[in-house]
């Protein structure tokens, strides 16, 4: 029963968030939407920010579980943007609220996970130093994070998939070149 109620609360909240800004949603709105009483809401969540945190944590855990391997940087970005595209209005309402920091923290974790899995999957045979691997990982994490935050900053107006497709065509071979430079540095 608890999972059903939690899921109903989350779905009601995301539905409302798709319709109006975060500061216009109350616990009463959520409980009315899913047909439960306020006590049921407070049994599962302390307040709306804790509900948001739970949604983000669940999404990070789902991504970690669902994607044990990622074979390209393009897939990193695709995985990272799935939920954003699916819940476009809700994400913009959270991004443009006082909870932006919580969203950025969640998204940083998503970028970190997808980049680490990608590098481990695609370059596990490469012999590079731990320091170089850490630097490359941080670079790609920042790149993914920055691309998406830039898109959010513009109100998610452009079709991010079209923009990213062209960007990935332009940067083809970039990652391989970075790893090649690292392996050459190891041998000299």
């Amino acid at each position: 029963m608890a999972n059903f109620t939690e899921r109903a609360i989350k779905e009601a909240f995301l539905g409302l968030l798709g319709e109006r800004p975060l500061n216009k949603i109350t616990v009463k709105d959520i409980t009315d939407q899913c047909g439960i009483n306020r006590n049921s809401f407070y049994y599962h969540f302390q307040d709306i920010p804790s509900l948001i945190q739970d949604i983000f944590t669940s999404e990070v855990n789902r991504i970690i579980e669902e994607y044990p391997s990622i074979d390209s940087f393009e897939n990193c970005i695709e995985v990272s943007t799935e939920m954003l595209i699916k819940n476009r209005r809700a994400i913009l309402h959270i991004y443009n609220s006082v909870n932006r920091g919580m969203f950025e923290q969640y998204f940083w974790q998503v970028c970190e996970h997808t980049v680490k899995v990608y590098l481990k999957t695609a370059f596990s045979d490469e012999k590079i130093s731990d320091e170089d691997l850490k630097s490359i990982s941080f670079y790609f994490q920042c790149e993914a994070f920055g691309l998406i935050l830039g898109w959010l900053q513009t109100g998610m107006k452009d079709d991010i998939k079209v923009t990213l497709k062209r960007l990935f065509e332009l940067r083809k071979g970039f990652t391989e070149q970075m790893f090649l430079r690292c392996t050459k540095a190891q041998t000299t």
Side-chain angles (χ1 to χ4, degrees):
M1 181 70 168
N3 285 339
F4 175 79
T5 304
E6 282 183 23
R7 191 169 45 249
I9 291 168
K10 290 176 184 179
E11 288 172 6
F13 174 68
L14 287 173
L16 290 167
L17 199 52
E19 299 169 5
R20 54 186 130 155
L22 181 60
N23 65 353
K24 303 290 185 197
I25 299 172
T26 65
V27 171
K28 183 177 179 346
D29 295 333
I30 297 167
T31 58
D32 287 351
Q33 183 76 20
C34 60
I36 62 171
N37 63 41
R38 290 172 61 88
N39 288 338
S40 293
F41 177 90
Y42 289 114
Y43 175 79
H44 295 284
F45 302 101
Q46 181 180 348
D47 51 19
I48 291 176
S50 70
L51 169 60
I52 295 169
Q53 182 65 46
D54 189 82
I55 290 169
F56 288 157
T57 301
S58 296
E59 184 64 12
V60 169
N61 290 337
R62 181 195 67 79
I63 289 170
I64 290 169
E65 187 176 306
E66 195 171 315
Y67 295 96
S69 67
I70 299 172
D71 61 358
S72 70
F73 187 62
E74 292 85 347
N75 287 351
C76 286
I77 302 292
E78 288 171 13
V79 168
S80 300
T81 58
E82 277 177 359
M83 189 231 195
L84 306 182
I85 292 169
K86 183 179 167 188
N87 297 290
R88 179 184 217 112
R89 288 185 55 126
I91 293 299
L92 279 173
H93 284 145
I94 291 172
Y95 182 75
N96 292 316
S97 76
V98 296
N99 293 295
R100 178 183 291 188
M102 188 186 309
F103 169 79
E104 289 177 352
Q105 181 182 11
Y106 144 77
F107 198 67
W108 182 254
Q109 291 173 337
V110 170
C111 292
E112 179 180 35
H113 169 74
T114 56
V115 165
K116 284 183 178 179
V117 169
Y118 156 58
L119 293 176
K120 183 178 178 181
T121 302
F123 298 98
S124 62
D125 294 337
E126 299 293 333
K127 305 290 185 226
I128 67 170
S129 72
D130 289 343
E131 192 60 37
D132 281 347
L133 185 58
K134 183 178 174 184
S135 296
I136 290 170
S137 180
F138 184 70
Y139 171 81
F140 283 115
Q141 185 178 352
C142 291
E143 183 179 5
F145 187 77
L147 284 168
I148 302 309
L149 284 189
W151 177 54
L152 285 164
Q153 192 69 35
T154 64
M156 300 169 84
K157 290 181 178 126
D158 297 331
D159 183 347
I160 192 72
K161 290 183 179 186
V162 171
T163 303
L164 291 173
K165 181 180 180 193
R166 180 62 180 145
L167 179 62
F168 294 141
E169 289 170 0
L170 294 171
R171 68 185 306 286
K172 195 171 223 72
F174 177 72
T175 308
E176 293 78 6
Q177 285 297 315
M178 288 179 83
F179 273 88
L180 182 62
R181 286 184 188 105
C182 291
T183 56
K184 282 184 180 179
Q186 291 268 16
T187 59
T188 57

